[in-house]
Amino acid sequence: MTKRTFFSLLYALICIVSFGQEFVHPGMLHTTSDLEFMKAKVLAGEEPWKEAWNQLKSSEIASLNYKPIPFKVVDNGPYNKPDNGGKEFVRDGAAAYTMALQWYVEGDKAYAEKAIEIFNAWAQTLESIVNHNRQLKVGTAGIKYLNAAEIIKHTYKGWNAKDRKAFEDMVINVWYPVIKDWTPRYNGNWDAANGQTLMCIGIFLDRRDIFDTACKQLTDGDTNGAIKNYFYESGQCQESGRDQQHVQMGLAFLACAAEIAWNQDIDLYGAFDNRLYKGFEYTARYMSGEEVPHVQYITWFGKPVYGPEISSKQREKICPAWERAYHHYHDRKGMDMPYTRKMIQKSRPEGTDNQSFMPWASLTCIGFPVR
């Protein structure tokens, strides 16, 4: 039996065991114990959580004066041309998530109500998401809204049933059809983004079928975004020959997916002999200025992409992508991550870009209890 076959069978067994189990709520990127730990550290004024919290509080998307800008049709084309509503859609998701965190930490219902205001604005307006980047917009925005909604739904009593139903209807009737068929032959960061949001849809709507399908596809499905396909055993990523910003997107999205799965008792972090860990260390090593082995990448469907040389584009651009994986592999598993640590020393506290990445990862990952 090959190593690949072994891990495929192991994952299938995990899915069989987990099938039919009730979801943990809240249970996407944050469980109740995670939220309580963060709250305690912030309220105690302890570092480094204090600095990370101050960073959040100083952001424009943290203000109670924030106003969502919903669109009836989000039209986002290649390279964001045109961009009618795409930027606003993702940014409002980041704002809703930021409001939900403030509600939980400070207990001020004004923040919960502001998150609901953002949910309502889009649920009452949005009819479709179109054009080339439609999947990427749902994949990168959806996880933000849904993590916010998961916190509000399970910790705040003021989200009335009618408004919550309208939000749920938007999720399943407008968002889900856009990403449910994946983008298997696109660069892997696309389906990594789709997968993280599909997992959140499954949890939020208590749809085990959606969640399990997403977990399986992100592990060893026929897509460039699957852990099996996005990384060679060396850690080289499918997009390493493209540029390092897109690689960091793929890494960050898959780390989010792995964390979501972990909180539902499924281990994607360990898939294919910790392939995700290898991807983080490989990329961080290269971005630290060292050389790494590289060959031209052959996709799962046999297409050579980019070239035989690793790309130096964005080699010095450190994105907010590193904290979540470091917390798991280093803190939980005791695995050394010297190069990822170098990235964190330059990027901490990880804030927000208001677009691709989940914001505030330092605040929500540093020093959390091991479980």
Side-chain angles (χ1 to χ4, degrees):
M1 179 185 295
T2 66
K3 183 181 291 185
R4 175 171 294 185
T5 301
F6 171 78
F7 283 111
S8 294
L9 291 174
L10 178 61
Y11 178 77
L13 178 61
I14 292 172
C15 284
I16 291 170
V17 171
S18 68
F19 183 79
Q21 291 182 352
E22 292 185 0
F23 285 115
V24 174
H25 292 294
M28 296 178 194
L29 289 176
H30 318 297
T31 63
T32 298
S33 62
D34 294 334
L35 293 168
E36 283 295 308
F37 178 84
M38 176 187 66
K39 177 180 178 179
K41 293 298 184 181
V42 170
L43 294 182
E46 295 184 31
E47 295 290 4
W49 302 274
K50 179 180 178 181
E51 181 184 4
W53 182 251
N54 289 341
Q55 179 193 47
L56 179 151
K57 294 294 289 185
S58 65
S59 170
E60 291 181 359
I61 62 173
S63 171
L64 285 172
N65 294 321
Y66 185 89
K67 297 296 182 183
I69 306 176
F71 280 66
K72 182 177 180 179
V73 177
V74 171
D75 179 5
N76 190 254
Y79 302 101
N80 295 313
K81 297 179 182 179
D83 186 8
N84 300 313
K87 177 177 67 178
E88 291 81 0
F89 178 50
V90 181
R91 189 171 189 263
D92 283 354
Y97 175 65
T98 303
M99 299 301 170
L101 292 178
Q102 290 179 103
W103 146 249
Y104 198 93
V105 170
E106 297 183 354
D108 184 344
K109 70 177 185 179
Y111 290 110
E113 291 295 332
K114 179 60 70 169
I116 293 169
E117 177 188 327
I118 296 169
F119 301 153
N120 289 346
W122 282 94
Q124 295 167 9
T125 305
L126 183 65
E127 293 183 359
S128 62
I129 303 171
V130 300
N131 213 327
H132 180 270
N133 281 5
R134 62 193 182 279
Q135 293 99 338
L136 198 57
K137 291 296 121 175
V138 175
T140 54
I143 185 175
K144 298 175 175 68
Y145 287 95
L146 288 162
N147 270 272
E150 177 82 346
I151 293 170
I152 298 299
K153 179 180 179 180
H154 296 284
T155 68
Y156 180 65
K157 296 180 180 180
W159 192 7
N160 69 60
K162 180 181 178 181
D163 288 345
R164 188 172 71 243
K165 179 64 163 53
F167 180 80
E168 292 171 350
D169 287 346
M170 175 183 65
V171 169
I172 198 64
N173 295 325
V174 181
W175 298 1
Y176 179 65
V178 173
I179 59 175
K180 70 180 180 66
D181 294 324
W182 304 78
T183 54
R185 295 187 177 224
Y186 282 34
N187 284 303
N189 78 85
W190 283 64
D191 269 353
N194 290 339
Q196 63 180 2
T197 287
L198 283 165
M199 292 170 72
C200 289
I201 290 174
I203 293 168
F204 187 72
L205 299 179
D206 285 303
R207 287 283 303 270
R208 175 63 66 173
D209 57 325
I210 295 174
F211 176 83
D212 285 345
T213 297
C215 284
K216 182 66 170 67
Q217 184 76 346
L218 281 184
T219 306
D220 62 357
D222 288 337
T223 169
N224 286 328
I227 292 170
K228 176 186 69 176
N229 298 323
Y230 196 68
F231 309 102
Y232 283 162
E233 289 192 12
S234 66
Q236 179 184 327
C237 304
Q238 184 258 317
E239 297 177 273
S240 294
R242 181 186 185 187
D243 64 64
Q244 301 312 308
Q245 179 175 344
H246 282 94
V247 169
Q248 290 176 83
M249 289 167 63
L251 288 169
F253 301 159
L254 287 171
C256 282
E259 184 66 17
I260 294 163
W262 183 264
N263 287 331
Q264 298 297 334
D265 294 324
I266 295 175
D267 184 9
L268 297 191
Y269 281 115
F272 296 96
D273 194 23
N274 298 301
R275 194 74 62 87
L276 181 60
Y277 162 87
K278 295 174 183 177
F280 269 93
E281 278 295 280
Y282 173 97
T283 303
R285 180 178 179 181
Y286 180 65
M287 293 182 66
S288 296
E290 296 190 23
E291 297 307 311
V292 292
H294 185 275
V295 296
Q296 186 168 25
Y297 208 96
I298 309 298
T299 67
W300 67 273
F301 54 94
K303 180 182 178 180
V305 292
Y306 308 115
E309 303 296 329
I310 191 170
S311 175
S312 61
K313 294 179 182 178
Q314 288 94 43
R315 187 176 185 179
E316 297 181 353
K317 183 175 183 178
I318 302 174
C319 300
W322 304 90
E323 290 277 21
R324 193 159 281 112
Y326 186 81
H327 171 58
H328 177 79
Y329 291 114
H330 180 270
D331 299 346
R332 287 180 181 146
K333 296 298 181 181
M335 298 168 67
D336 196 17
M337 297 191 85
Y339 294 105
T340 298
R341 177 64 182 171
K342 288 183 178 181
M343 296 299 99
I344 288 174
Q345 288 172 339
K346 296 178 180 179
S347 66
R348 184 176 283 182
E350 288 184 354
T352 179
D353 67 348
N354 293 333
Q355 289 294 307
S356 299
F357 300 88
M358 280 300 294
W360 322 124
S362 293
L363 176 68
T364 59
C365 293
I366 294 177
F368 276 50
V370 174
R371 54 179 174 75

